[in-house]
């Protein structure tokens, strides 16, 4: 199958200017100033991208693909993700995680759902474990999970600084990070530890203790929810200035922002103003996870659900409202997570890499079309490929 995208302005994410892109099966075959179809040639699907910006497919590196929640008992368990939740939001690669509930949400469920999403047309990997320590793995060992299971690329989300966590010590976190690191080295995977950071003023203390007192490097950890409140965000700036990765959560509700959560687009601007390199920052949606609101006694008083659609909404706001250049802002959901997670075929528009592409309307940066592994999933804003149970 050949598909030719003509006349689009390409951000790879580096700005390449007006280019034609020839898709050969699932890969980017050629990127040229102009590609002309010869006479009497095989059928080629031609997409006219005039007035469009062509960017890499988005990577959402923290999604509760089998659902999450449950903090308000069984009825508050959130539903699993559907294919078009991702594709309509421009997301072509997902990383699945388990959150608070590591009992009824299991690794077997997680891997089965990841494979199901891949059968439906997008790419999906997972992290082993959940909030709890000791880590509940698939094989019995973190290293074995990462080395032997193709879908497992690291550990997470392990919770710290949160009343819902198992209150892991620095010694326990060091052992987790060491096992993940060795598993990653032996398999060629990232082997990174995705860490949920809660509201506690302990902030990143457990991680910092590991970094300061062991040989584990700072980039072995991938802390998320760094924008959940102002005091954690300021600690996040200091962590990034030390060389660490930081991840902002795009799903939110007005009440959280009123109470001090830092809007992702604003957080990105402030990180850059603090001289943090853009390559250290990512956005993730925490989609299908619950957005629980607790009172001062730790009692649940409200619950919403995260959405994948929030991912690009915040990048768009970073560009249109905060004035961050598109080729910079788009990296937080394309090139940066691909590099951090060692997804070598993802995150950029390069000949030979996977043909995951998003076409944006130039005038307002809305999503027009989405291509995953060379197949058009969304066209003119409408899902033309739906999940098994969405039809």
């Amino acid at each position: 199958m050949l598909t030719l995208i003509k006349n689009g302005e390409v951000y790879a994410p580096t700005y390449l200017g007006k280019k034609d892109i020839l898709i050969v099966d699932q890969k980017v075959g050629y990127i040229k100033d102009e590609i002309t179809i010869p006479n009497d040639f095989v059928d080629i699907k031609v997409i006219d991208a005039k007035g469009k910006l062509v960017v890499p497919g988005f990577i959402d590196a923290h999604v509760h693909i089998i659902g999450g929640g449950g903090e308000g008992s069984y009825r508050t368990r959130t539903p699993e993700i559907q294919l078009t939740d991702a594709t309509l939001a421009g997301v072509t690669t997902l990383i699945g995680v388990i959150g608070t509930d590591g009992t009824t949400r299991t690794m077997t469920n997680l891997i089965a759902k990841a494979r199901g999403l891949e059968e439906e047309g997008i790419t999906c990997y997972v992290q082993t474990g959940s909030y709890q320590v000791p880590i509940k793995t698939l094989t019995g060992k973190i290293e074995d999970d990462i080395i032997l299971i193709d879908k497992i690329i690291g550990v997470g989300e392990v919770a710290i600084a949160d009343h819902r966590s198992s209150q892991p010590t620095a010694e326990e976190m060091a052992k987790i990070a060491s096992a993940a690191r060795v598993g990653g080295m032996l398999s060629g995977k990232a082997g990174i530890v995705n860490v949920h950071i809660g509201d506690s003023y302990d902030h990143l203390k457990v991680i910092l203790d590991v970094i300061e007192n062991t040989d584990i490097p700072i980039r072995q950890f991938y802390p998320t929810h760094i924008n959940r409140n102002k005091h954690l965000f300021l600690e996040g700036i200091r962590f990034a200035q030390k060389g660490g990765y930081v991840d902002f959560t795009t799903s939110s509700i007005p009440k959280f922002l009123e109470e001090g959560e830092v809007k992702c687009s604003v957080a990105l601007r402030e990180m850059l103003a603090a001289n943090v390199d853009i390559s250290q920052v990512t956005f993730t949606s925490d989609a299908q996870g619950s957005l629980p609101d607790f009172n001062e006694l730790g009692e649940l008083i409200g619950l919403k659900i995260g959405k994948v659609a929030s991912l690009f909404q915040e990048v768009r706001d970073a560009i249109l409202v905060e004035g961050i250049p598109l080729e910079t802002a788009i990296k937080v959901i394309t090139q940066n997570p691909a590099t951090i997670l060692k997804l070598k075929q993802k995150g950029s528009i390069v000949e030979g890499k996977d043909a995951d592409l998003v076409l944006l309307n130039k005038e307002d940066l809305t999503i027009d079309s989405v291509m995953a592994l060379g197949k058009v999933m969304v066209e003119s804003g409408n899902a033309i490929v739906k999940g098994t149970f969405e039809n």
Side-chain angles (χ1 to χ4, degrees):
M1 179 66 184
L2 299 175
T3 302
L4 179 59
I5 301 174
K6 291 191 66 68
N7 306 314
E9 286 187 60
V10 179
Y11 286 81
T14 302
Y15 182 63
L16 301 183
K18 183 180 174 183
K19 299 287 181 179
D20 288 354
I21 303 172
L22 181 65
I23 308 302
V24 182
D25 193 22
Q26 298 184 349
K27 305 291 183 181
V28 175
Y30 297 93
I31 304 171
K32 303 291 183 184
D33 290 339
E34 184 175 5
I35 298 174
T36 303
I37 302 173
N39 294 326
D40 301 321
F41 198 59
V42 297
D43 289 340
I44 297 179
K45 178 180 175 65
V46 179
I47 298 173
D48 186 0
K50 185 177 181 180
K52 306 286 192 301
L53 307 179
V54 185
V55 300
F58 307 150
I59 300 168
D60 196 341
H62 189 106
V63 179
H64 296 272
I65 59 174
I66 56 173
E71 289 93 342
S73 192
Y74 303 107
R75 64 188 174 84
T76 63
R77 287 161 51 88
T78 61
E80 67 179 39
I81 198 169
Q82 297 294 320
L83 177 67
T84 60
D85 293 332
T87 56
L88 286 169
V91 173
T92 55
T93 300
L94 295 170
I95 311 299
V97 297
I98 299 174
T100 313
D101 181 4
T103 298
T104 69
R105 311 287 192 183
T106 68
M107 286 303 301
T108 50
N109 299 155
L110 195 67
I111 291 171
K113 179 63 177 180
R115 295 196 188 283
L117 287 165
E118 291 213 332
E119 288 181 358
E120 291 177 336
I122 60 176
T123 302
C124 192
Y125 295 95
V126 304
Q127 309 280 23
T128 189
S130 59
Y131 273 24
Q132 289 79 36
V133 173
I135 301 298
K136 295 181 179 179
T137 64
L138 186 69
T139 65
K141 288 180 66 178
I142 289 171
E143 303 98 307
D144 291 2
D145 273 19
I146 296 172
I147 295 168
L148 300 176
I149 310 300
D150 60 337
K151 289 288 150 218
I152 298 176
I153 61 173
V155 180
E157 60 175 314
V158 183
I160 65 173
D162 194 304
H163 63 92
R164 294 167 292 171
S165 81
S166 54
Q167 312 306 318
T169 64
E171 182 179 1
E172 288 173 317
M173 289 296 288
K175 290 184 182 300
I176 291 167
S178 177
R181 181 172 179 79
V182 171
M185 291 170 66
L186 294 176
S187 62
K189 297 177 183 176
I192 209 159
V193 182
N194 182 218
V195 186
H196 163 107
I197 314 294
D199 282 308
S200 166
Y201 278 84
D202 284 346
H203 299 135
L204 297 147
K205 181 179 182 301
V206 172
I207 297 175
L208 291 170
D209 284 351
V210 174
I211 296 161
E212 291 167 4
N213 296 299
T214 75
D215 294 325
I216 302 295
I218 192 169
R219 292 191 176 184
Q220 196 63 43
F221 296 101
Y222 187 24
T224 188
H225 314 317
I226 292 295
N227 61 311
R228 71 161 64 244
N229 57 54
K230 189 66 175 180
H231 53 87
L232 174 57
F233 177 67
L234 294 175
E235 287 296 314
I237 290 178
R238 286 188 277 273
F239 185 78
Q241 288 172 335
K242 292 176 183 287
Y245 297 130
V246 287
D247 180 63
F248 304 147
T249 302
T250 57
S251 292
S252 186
I253 56 176
K255 184 175 187 294
F256 292 174
L257 294 169
E258 291 167 5
E259 292 176 346
E261 182 177 278
V262 185
K263 193 174 186 297
C264 286
S265 55
V266 175
L268 181 59
R269 173 175 51 77
E270 293 190 12
M271 275 277 174
L272 295 175
N275 296 316
V276 173
D277 192 283
I278 186 63
S279 67
Q280 296 171 239
V281 183
T282 62
F283 287 5
T284 60
S285 72
D286 203 16
Q288 307 309 119
S290 62
L291 302 175
D293 187 14
F294 297 97
N295 64 19
E296 66 278 2
L297 298 176
E299 298 168 335
L300 184 72
I301 57 176
L303 196 68
K304 298 291 184 181
I305 188 170
K307 298 290 187 182
V308 176
S310 66
L311 189 72
F312 182 63
Q313 288 172 2
E314 283 298 320
V315 172
R316 184 173 178 269
D317 282 355
I319 299 164
L320 298 180
V321 179
E322 303 303 328
I324 298 171
L326 188 151
E327 66 180 323
T328 299
I330 204 71
K331 289 180 180 179
V332 302
I333 58 171
T334 57
Q335 181 174 289
N336 294 357
T339 300
I340 292 167
L341 297 173
K342 290 191 176 180
L343 306 179
K344 297 176 182 178
Q345 288 295 311
K346 305 295 182 181
S348 55
I349 303 174
V350 175
E351 292 177 357
K353 287 196 176 186
D354 288 346
D356 295 341
L357 306 171
V358 176
L359 273 60
L360 303 173
N361 293 305
K362 186 174 181 178
E363 68 276 9
D364 59 3
L365 296 186
T366 53
I367 295 171
D368 178 85
S369 301
V370 179
M371 178 177 286
L373 295 170
K375 184 175 183 179
V376 177
M377 310 295 281
V378 174
E379 192 170 61
S380 301
N382 298 308
I384 61 173
V385 177
K386 295 185 178 180
T388 307
F389 300 104
E390 293 186 292
N391 293 308

